[in-house]
Amino acid sequence: MCGKRHKCSFSRLEVVLIVLLALMIAVTVALLVLHFLTQENSSSNDNDDPLPTQKPTNGVSGGYLLGAGRADCTGPVAEIPLMGYANPDQVGGGLLTRLYSRAFIMAEPNSSKRVVFVSIDIGMVSQRLRLEVLKKLKSKYGELYRQDNVILSGTHTHSGPGGYFQYTLFWFTSKGLIKPSLDAIVKGIVKSIDIAHQNLKRGRLFINRGTVENSQINRSPYSYLQNPAYEKSRYSSNTDKEMVILKMVDENGHDLGLISWFAVHPVSMNNTNRLVNSDNVGYASLLFEQEKNKGMLTGEGSFVAAFASSNLGDVSPNTKGPFCVNTGESCDNPQSTCPVGGAAMCMAMGPGTDMFDSTRIIGQNIYSKAKELYANASQEITGPLSSAHQWVNMSDVQVELNATHTVKTCKPALGYSFAAGTIDGVGAFNFTQGSVEGDPFWDQIRDQLLGQPSNETKACHEPKPVLFSTGEVRAELGVHSGKCWSALLKRSPYQHCASLHGEGQGPRESCGDAEGMVEWHWAQVGTPWAGGLCSDPACGRTNVPCWPRAVPGDGGYLPPVPCPQGQPTPQEGLFPQGPQRWSPTTASPFPGECAVPGTNSALSLLNSPKS
């Protein structure tokens, strides 16, 4: 305190506090200035000229109406089973990254044709989930967004919540229906579509593709070696290393969104993880969105980047391969077993020092490639939009192997190898991968609890030994469905995007984008071609455009597919379904395309040799 006749003085503590207060004020002012400068720069960047590859080249300001939206779909994160590894002991104990639904709408400006593609940070999309979403969309938009033009796709993260399925088989590990999880996912999906709908504006689509290295391995290499030599000879690797990206910009070339497809399992976070997260592909999405939405918090900003699931069947991100966790030695053998501890000790690792580091590395790798492809995308997509939906009874589909042999698909059944799991997430007990013989002990337990599989099912699945004949359990128990849904989006005569209820490596060849789909079928055709136009005298097809080859680094063109047996009159846009698997009498959702027998669709079966 200061007296009347004494000078005022401050203690050392008061001086220090005054100095700190002044510093805090200065830092606050500096941060505010930087914040407003960043916003001003971002605003001015938004008005910059677009990249040369984005500028209109044909006088058309925008070929489509495009909209992108993102919404949080994170539900409960504690004391809920995680979905993916089928491990009932893997229960959520917290949150690592929030989960998002990312929606993209593409529409023709002057017609009612539109399609919606939604990528969600969950293990997969259940029919119960899909029905709930469609119900809410109908209440809001009427018949604008329907079963046949809404495609829902899970990223396949194994660290998301379970409990949103309707079939008993999935309830075993999720311990029943978890309504809060289901509600959060449905709400997030619908909200992301709402935002995309509100953001619709004229824009343009570009596509690009490239090769991603050091980000995947085949987790069943010995199974892959059982494929025919002619099949393996078509590829330089036992995994698909190609990334395909779809770039969306508005009519002025300003960024709107990205969809990337690359084959890799989101299992960098292994089955010891207890934190809800979107794994490697989700991390890649967050990196891309932070890059484009500068100055915004995670999950905010108008630019939306989805790294959607692709033909990721046996494709693992754990690039160091399998090792015995108890001894450190390799367990890279046909059964993936260890000398001590058996199959339960064999786990894939890497590329990082732990699962968090591995998630970061793989996510960074695929983000970096997508960023490069996005910046250089110059091939524009044009043409009409179409979409189709179908139900397929996968228990009763006729498949023509050759001119004299036809086989039929089976009722669903889980085999012994299913119980063994994979090197990304091992199973339990004494089950091993690659089993071709059953076990009397487990057969006896199965027979007592569930009954024996029929001779028909055993013969149909041979040589796979049947552990659980899910397709023969009483229908009222709702264990497993033999009917699957699939959807097809057609953006032009040569660009297709498919959503199939299942997992495998074959779909990209069978029904992905057109270039990738037809390459391996047409590569076997020896008809001559020249100058980008092909001819097939056998069926009267002449001077039709050749389709680009899809093999990375292997340019050139391929001749058209030969006319199917029984179809003498060629039609443009024939849809190849594999060697000698045509059905010209079966209707197709798109004119002039042939379909798989019994499916009433141009979609192929999931029976590629690579599956």
Side-chain angles (χ1 to χ4, degrees), residues 328-343:
E329 60 184 308
S330 173
C331 50
D332 186 9
N333 55 67
Q335 280 71 46
S336 300
T337 58
C338 296
V340 179

Side-chain angles (χ1 to χ4, degrees), residues 114-422:
R114 62 180 57 202
V115 293
V116 184
F117 178 82
V118 188
S119 178
I120 314 111
D121 289 333
I122 56 175
M124 60 185 71
V125 175
S126 70
Q127 176 62 8
R128 171 70 180 270
L129 176 63
R130 194 165 186 271
L131 290 174
E132 293 285 343
V133 169
L134 291 172
K135 179 181 177 181
K136 291 188 178 298
L137 289 177
K138 186 172 183 178
S139 68
K140 285 189 172 189
Y141 301 101
E143 295 300 317
L144 188 62
Y145 299 119
R146 312 171 303 277
Q147 176 177 256
D148 65 314
N149 69 355
V150 175
I151 296 177
L152 305 181
S153 172
T155 62
H156 203 44
T157 175
H158 285 38
S159 296
Y164 56 90
F165 286 80
Q166 75 277 25
Y167 290 113
T168 308
L169 179 66
F170 297 96
W171 283 15
F172 289 144
T173 54
S174 69
K175 303 169 185 175
L177 178 70
I178 304 175
K179 195 68 163 51
S181 289
L182 174 65
D183 291 344
I185 299 170
V186 171
K187 182 179 178 181
I189 294 173
V190 174
K191 185 176 180 180
S192 68
I193 296 175
D194 287 341
I195 296 172
H197 179 83
Q198 295 163 9
N199 290 340
L200 279 170
K201 61 179 67 175
R202 281 188 174 270
R204 307 168 73 208
L205 295 172
F206 295 86
I207 192 171
N208 202 3
R209 46 173 45 86
T211 302
V212 183
E213 299 289 354
N214 305 316
S215 298
Q216 49 168 215
I217 62 170
N218 190 314
R219 68 184 182 188
S220 297
Y222 295 94
S223 298
Y224 180 84
L225 292 176
Q226 301 304 310
N227 287 320
Y230 73 85
E231 146 76 15
K232 293 179 291 186
S233 67
R234 291 194 290 266
Y235 311 101
S236 59
S237 171
N238 60 6
T239 60
D240 186 350
K241 297 180 181 294
E242 185 181 60
M243 173 183 284
V244 177
I245 67 102
L246 190 65
K247 175 179 182 176
M248 301 180 183
V249 298
D250 68 15
E251 58 185 341
N252 296 315
H254 300 142
D255 298 324
L256 296 178
L258 157 90
I259 308 176
S260 169
W261 289 275
F262 174 64
V264 66
H265 245 81
V267 291
S268 292
M269 302 294 291
N270 61 42
N271 61 7
T272 66
N273 169 57
R274 297 291 185 271
L275 301 176
V276 169
N277 68 88
S278 53
D279 214 281
N280 46 44
V281 293
Y283 182 60
S285 287
L286 295 179
L287 289 176
F288 211 115
E289 289 173 347
Q290 287 177 350
E291 166 70 23
K292 292 295 183 179
N293 298 315
K294 293 188 185 299
M296 306 296 290
L297 295 175
T298 300
E300 296 183 357
S302 61
F303 186 89
V304 181
F307 284 74
S309 59
S310 179
N311 50 325
L312 47 76
D314 266 327
V315 186
S316 169
N318 297 306
T319 53
K320 290 182 180 178
F323 288 86
C324 300
V325 295
N326 52 352
T327 65
E329 60 184 308
S330 173
C331 50
D332 186 9
N333 55 67
Q335 280 71 46
S336 300
T337 58
C338 296
V340 179
M345 292 290 109
C346 185
M347 286 285 291
M349 305 175 185
T353 56
D354 56 33
M355 59 182 174
F356 299 96
D357 193 33
S358 294
T359 301
R360 179 188 62 80
I361 293 172
I362 298 300
Q364 180 72 45
N365 284 355
I366 58 180
Y367 153 70
S368 298
K369 174 54 69 170
K371 181 180 178 182
E372 172 195 327
L373 295 176
Y374 186 91
N376 296 311
S378 59
Q379 180 184 349
E380 186 170 6
I381 294 176
T382 59
L385 286 171
S386 299
S387 60
H389 175 275
Q390 66 164 351
W391 285 98
V392 181
N393 183 359
M394 295 301 294
S395 301
D396 189 24
V397 176
Q398 300 289 329
V399 181
E400 186 179 325
L401 297 180
N402 52 48
T404 59
H405 291 80
T406 300
V407 295
K408 187 176 77 70
T409 55
C410 315
K411 293 179 180 179
L414 303 178
Y416 273 71
S417 292
F418 165 82
T422 70

Side-chain angles (χ1 to χ4, degrees), residues 27-74:
V27 169
T28 302
V29 171
L31 290 175
L32 287 172
V33 170
L34 286 174
H35 174 71
F36 288 113
L37 284 176
T38 302
Q39 279 196 331
E40 188 175 331
N41 288 336
S42 297
S43 177
S44 63
N45 286 340
D46 287 342
N47 295 321
D48 288 344
D49 288 337
L51 294 175
T53 56
Q54 300 172 347
K55 288 183 177 178
T57 57
N58 55 4
V60 180
S61 61
Y64 301 105
L65 289 177
L66 304 176
R70 176 186 53 255
D72 196 312
C73 62
T74 312

Side-chain angles (χ1 to χ4, degrees), residues 347-549:
M347 286 285 291
M349 305 175 185
T353 56
D354 56 33
M355 59 182 174
F356 299 96
D357 193 33
S358 294
T359 301
R360 179 188 62 80
I361 293 172
I362 298 300
Q364 180 72 45
N365 284 355
I366 58 180
Y367 153 70
S368 298
K369 174 54 69 170
K371 181 180 178 182
E372 172 195 327
L373 295 176
Y374 186 91
N376 296 311
S378 59
Q379 180 184 349
E380 186 170 6
I381 294 176
T382 59
L385 286 171
S386 299
S387 60
H389 175 275
Q390 66 164 351
W391 285 98
V392 181
N393 183 359
M394 295 301 294
S395 301
D396 189 24
V397 176
Q398 300 289 329
V399 181
E400 186 179 325
L401 297 180
N402 52 48
T404 59
H405 291 80
T406 300
V407 295
K408 187 176 77 70
T409 55
C410 315
K411 293 179 180 179
L414 303 178
Y416 273 71
S417 292
F418 165 82
T422 70
I423 59 174
D424 288 330
V426 296
F429 306 111
N430 62 335
F431 297 105
T432 59
Q433 296 186 49
S435 299
V436 292
E437 293 182 359
D439 183 285
F441 173 76
W442 293 113
D443 286 349
Q444 184 69 20
I445 293 177
R446 174 202 63 199
D447 296 346
Q448 293 298 321
L449 294 177
L450 306 169
Q452 292 187 27
S454 67
N455 290 332
E456 176 190 1
T457 293
K458 288 180 180 179
C460 191
H461 282 272
E462 192 177 83
K464 180 182 82 177
V466 175
L467 178 64
F468 185 7
S469 184
T470 57
E472 296 184 313
V473 178
R474 296 199 311 272
E476 58 267 25
L477 295 179
V479 174
H480 197 179
S481 174
K483 295 182 179 180
C484 301
W485 56 265
S486 55
L488 181 69
L489 155 64
K490 182 176 178 180
R491 290 186 295 268
S492 73
Y494 307 120
Q495 301 291 340
H496 300 75
C497 172
S499 173
L500 300 119
H501 189 81
E503 171 185 311
Q505 283 184 275
R508 184 169 229 165
E509 288 196 333
S510 303
C511 56
D513 58 283
E515 290 91 343
M517 174 188 66
V518 301
E519 190 277 333
W520 70 281
H521 301 313
W522 290 6
Q524 302 173 64
V525 183
T527 49
W529 63 277
L533 294 177
C534 303
S535 300
D536 191 350
C539 59
R541 175 182 284 219
T542 59
N543 295 329
V544 294
C546 296
W547 294 48
R549 197 183 284 265

